[in-house]
Amino acid sequence: MILSQPIVFVGMMGCGKTSIGRVIAEKLNLEFFDTDKEIENNLDLSIKEIFENYGEQFFRRKEYSLFEVLKTKRKILISAGGGSFCEQKIHTLIKKNFISVWLDVNEKTIFYRLRRNQAKRPLLKGMDERELRIKINNLMIERNDCYSKADIKVKLSDQTISESINKTYSKIINYLSKNR
């Protein structure tokens, strides 16, 4: 398959961008990039350390720079950080140069996934269950409007990982066949 633009997965943290993205990249014979991992490797720091030492705005500038580099590649699939698509500069860059895919997962599913690995997420550090639920709800209210501007929307929630992969793959193939 020939892509005219790279593909980028957007959506809430915990929605499956990396897990689903890796498999779909392989199915489509694309190179896979996780922006969080790329930034961590480039700076030799964890996302948590980057946020603590340099702040979120520094991290977003690194993300933007990475998207500037990745926009020139064609045979790639990218997992974007949860907030990147909602940063105006990054959003504009993605809309112009990438095929964006929103993995839309409900709040309950996001909560259960994030509760398991909350310590790795700087925005959720030290929250009890009630605070975590409120934070997820607020982030979803804040971000869903920008996520909804993605080229492809894939509604996922109660599917198995295999079903989620198949549904996402089908949506992408359908979009690509209509937009050649």
Side-chain angles (χ1 to χ4, degrees), residues 76-93:
I76 64 171
L77 191 150
I78 304 157
S79 168
S84 62
F85 197 59
C86 297
E87 288 291 317
Q88 190 56 53
K89 250 177 101 168
I90 298 171
H91 181 90
T92 302
L93 183 68

Side-chain angles (χ1 to χ4, degrees), residues 39-41 43-56 58-59 119-123 125:
I39 293 168
E40 284 179 330
N41 292 340
L43 297 175
D44 199 27
L45 294 168
S46 70
I47 298 298
K48 181 180 172 197
E49 291 169 322
I50 296 167
F51 270 67
E52 286 174 355
N53 296 324
Y54 301 102
E56 185 175 357
F58 173 84
F59 177 76
K120 297 179 187 174
R121 315 251 181 204
L123 293 177
K125 182 181 170 190

Side-chain angles (χ1 to χ4, degrees), residues 116-155:
R116 288 192 313 249
N117 64 0
Q118 186 177 348
K120 297 179 187 174
R121 315 251 181 204
L123 293 177
L124 308 178
K125 182 181 170 190
M127 293 183 180
D128 63 26
E129 280 197 20
R130 184 181 160 282
E131 292 167 323
L132 180 60
R133 285 183 192 278
I134 291 169
K135 181 68 172 183
I136 290 168
N137 177 266
N138 290 340
L139 282 172
M140 290 182 86
I141 289 168
E142 178 184 311
R143 294 178 176 177
N144 279 358
D145 184 51
C146 61
Y147 292 152
S148 71
K149 294 176 176 81
D151 299 308
I152 303 168
K153 177 183 177 181
V154 186
K155 187 83 170 144

Side-chain angles (χ1 to χ4, degrees), residues 1 18 31 34-35 72 94 117 121 133 141 143 177:
M1 170 191 348
T18 299
E31 189 175 356
D34 179 313
T35 58
T72 63
I94 289 173
N117 64 0
R121 315 251 181 204
R133 285 183 192 278
I141 289 168
R143 294 178 176 177
S177 68

Side-chain angles (χ1 to χ4, degrees), residues 72-123:
T72 63
K73 300 179 180 288
R74 291 292 168 254
K75 293 186 59 76
I76 64 171
L77 191 150
I78 304 157
S79 168
S84 62
F85 197 59
C86 297
E87 288 291 317
Q88 190 56 53
K89 250 177 101 168
I90 298 171
H91 181 90
T92 302
L93 183 68
I94 289 173
K95 288 300 291 175
K96 183 178 178 187
N97 300 286
F98 299 81
I99 298 167
S100 53
V101 180
W102 175 24
L103 302 184
D104 181 14
V105 177
N106 69 37
E107 191 174 328
K108 180 179 137 191
T109 303
I110 295 289
F111 171 77
Y112 287 111
R113 290 178 183 173
L114 293 180
R115 189 174 63 172
R116 288 192 313 249
N117 64 0
Q118 186 177 348
K120 297 179 187 174
R121 315 251 181 204
L123 293 177

